[in-house]
Amino acid sequence: MSDQPAHAPYDALLLLSFGGPEGPDDVVPFLENVTRGRGIPRERLKEVGQHYFLFGGVSPINDQNRALLGALRKEFAEHGTDLPVYWGNRNWAPYLTDTLREIAADGRRRVLTLATSAYASYSGCRQYRENLADALAALEAEGVTPPRVDKLRHYFNHPGFVRPMADAVLAALAELPEDAREGAHLAFTTHSIPVAAADTSGPAEAHGDGGAYVAQHLDVARTIAEAVREETGRDHPWQLVYQSRSGAPHIPWLEPDICDHLEAAQAAGAPAVVMVPIGFVSDHMEVKYDLDTEATAKAAELGLPVARAATVGADPRFAAAVRELVLERAATERGERPERCALGALGPSHDLCPVGCCPARAPHPAAAGADSPYA
């Protein structure tokens, strides 16, 4: 019997997130990081930053990542998984390159990455992998031997991600006026992306109308709607809708927008709507502003009762799912065949992003995939 730990060959877990400002002075520099290379004027960034200034210039995302770090460390400790958990961001402190430098200095050689994005897309997966490659290249340029970095598979349909959201829908339904509850519609929301990016999301064989991005969200929405029906005994009409569009108006993005959907639902006679942000891991700014502020104001204007379901955040079931995914990937790396949990119709996702998966707009090295220069 082997003496190696269940997480071998990995010796660290990296929580990789988007990052966000933590005060008014951070807002524009943060947005400059996000939009680097696009030539957006500083005055325009100040306008975009108004969403953050409404909340004191602080994005909730960093505190939510701290809570998730705590939940992961607690879960690992309680189950004897002696795996250190680090945290790095793409666009704000703690920066990814700094965290990987710390990981290397601590002598860690094999790192698994948990990205706070559950689905396949360029912006939700490959761009994270490109940032990893850039950070590893920066370490090499400094003369630091970088660790080998892998990425956990997409977890959009893992029970530990889906079941907390189903419970959140039930809790949100209970918040609605009693006479509107039974007939309430469910609006499953996610980040809108350009149609062209959606169509090429996932492995090449998944490319087509909406690609893997839309297919994965539809599968999760259907799974949650079925769970709600089983619990309540009622069918709630549902639709996948989109939010947080940020591109040029002449470029087609996924639709309908949540606010347009609320208008259509009210016109069709829906007594109420529950907004379910299945595309987001935590209640960060795009949830707090686009749903809790903008969409809720639209619903009030329409006289349409709404409630918003919580995201998974630091739910202990999600932390347990991450631990299971770590042990699953570790066992696979050791040549074993572990059970791979998944709900819905699509089954578990790939461990290694194949060549042609969520292609970049322009060629750019990406780590933790079949085309990685850091194998």
Side-chain angles (χ1 to χ4, degrees):
M1 187 172 178
S2 174
D3 290 331
Q4 65 182 341
H7 54 77
Y10 297 105
D11 53 14
L13 176 67
L14 167 65
L15 173 64
L16 175 57
S17 192
F18 193 80
E22 300 207 73
D25 292 343
D26 296 345
V27 172
V28 172
F30 162 74
L31 292 172
E32 287 175 333
N33 287 343
V34 173
T35 61
R36 185 180 292 113
R38 300 185 204 171
I40 299 176
R42 189 176 179 86
E43 289 306 310
R44 173 58 182 148
L45 294 179
K46 289 181 181 178
E47 293 175 21
V48 173
Q50 290 307 312
H51 294 180
Y52 292 96
F53 293 128
L54 286 174
F55 295 86
V58 178
S59 169
I61 194 168
N62 283 340
D63 276 346
Q64 289 163 1
N65 281 326
R66 292 181 185 103
L68 179 55
L69 277 174
L72 291 172
R73 288 167 177 160
K74 181 174 185 287
E75 170 72 18
F76 286 2
E78 288 178 350
H79 290 83
T81 304
D82 186 19
L83 189 70
V85 186
Y86 296 80
W87 170 34
N89 288 327
R90 293 169 50 194
N91 298 297
W92 201 249
Y95 287 104
L96 172 60
T97 302
D98 295 336
T99 301
L100 283 174
R101 189 183 297 110
E102 178 187 358
I103 288 171
D106 288 346
R108 312 295 176 184
R109 304 307 311 145
R110 289 289 302 271
V111 180
L112 258 179
T113 303
L114 165 67
T116 54
S117 177
Y119 301 85
S121 69
Y122 172 75
S123 56
C125 183
R126 186 177 176 91
Q127 194 169 19
Y128 281 80
R129 295 174 47 225
E130 290 179 354
N131 293 149
L132 281 167
D134 289 344
L136 294 170
L139 295 189
E140 284 191 332
E142 296 171 5
V144 175
T145 301
R148 174 173 166 177
V149 178
D150 292 326
K151 181 176 176 290
L152 288 174
R153 66 175 170 94
H154 299 302
Y155 48 84
F156 63 90
N157 57 2
H158 193 285
F161 187 70
V162 175
R163 287 177 179 146
M165 288 191 294
D167 287 346
V169 174
L170 295 171
L173 283 167
E175 296 174 10
L176 292 171
E178 192 170 349
D179 60 351
R181 198 173 300 155
E182 284 194 20
H185 290 208
L186 309 181
F188 293 97
T189 76
T190 191
H191 206 301
S192 184
I193 62 174
V195 170
D199 291 348
T200 56
S201 58
E205 62 270 19
H207 293 178
D209 290 346
Y213 186 75
V214 172
Q216 290 170 357
H217 281 87
L218 284 172
D219 196 49
V220 171
R222 187 176 299 108
T223 302
I224 294 173
E226 289 173 355
V228 170
R229 186 194 69 241
E230 290 174 5
E231 186 69 26
T232 64
R234 290 185 290 274
D235 274 312
H236 290 273
W238 64 270
Q239 186 172 339
L240 177 63
V241 303
Y242 302 92
Q243 62 175 90
S244 312
R245 176 186 170 133
S246 60
H250 68 281
I251 297 174
W253 282 52
L254 293 173
E255 296 177 335
D257 176 77
I258 178 62
C259 290
D260 294 337
H261 174 71
L262 292 175
E263 288 187 350
Q266 191 269 344
V273 173
V274 171
M275 300 180 289
V276 191
I278 58 172
F280 306 93
V281 172
S282 65
D283 289 4
H284 54 59
M285 186 57 71
E286 286 167 321
V287 175
K288 289 292 187 183
Y289 182 80
D290 296 342
L291 295 184
D292 294 353
T293 304
E294 191 173 49
T296 299
K298 169 59 72 174
E301 174 190 315
L302 296 167
L304 178 67
V306 293
R308 199 264 292 172
T311 52
V312 297
D315 189 293
R317 290 169 292 180
F318 180 49
V322 173
R323 183 179 60 83
E324 291 171 13
L325 288 166
V326 166
L327 299 184
E328 171 199 297
R329 180 61 181 274
T332 301
E333 290 294 306
R334 297 194 301 267
E336 301 168 21
R337 298 174 63 87
E339 180 183 1
R340 293 164 57 83
C341 293
L343 300 177
L346 296 181
S349 185
H350 48 260
D351 280 332
L352 198 66
C353 292
V355 176
C357 192
C358 304
R361 291 181 290 271
H364 193 100
D371 55 355
S372 171
Y374 299 98

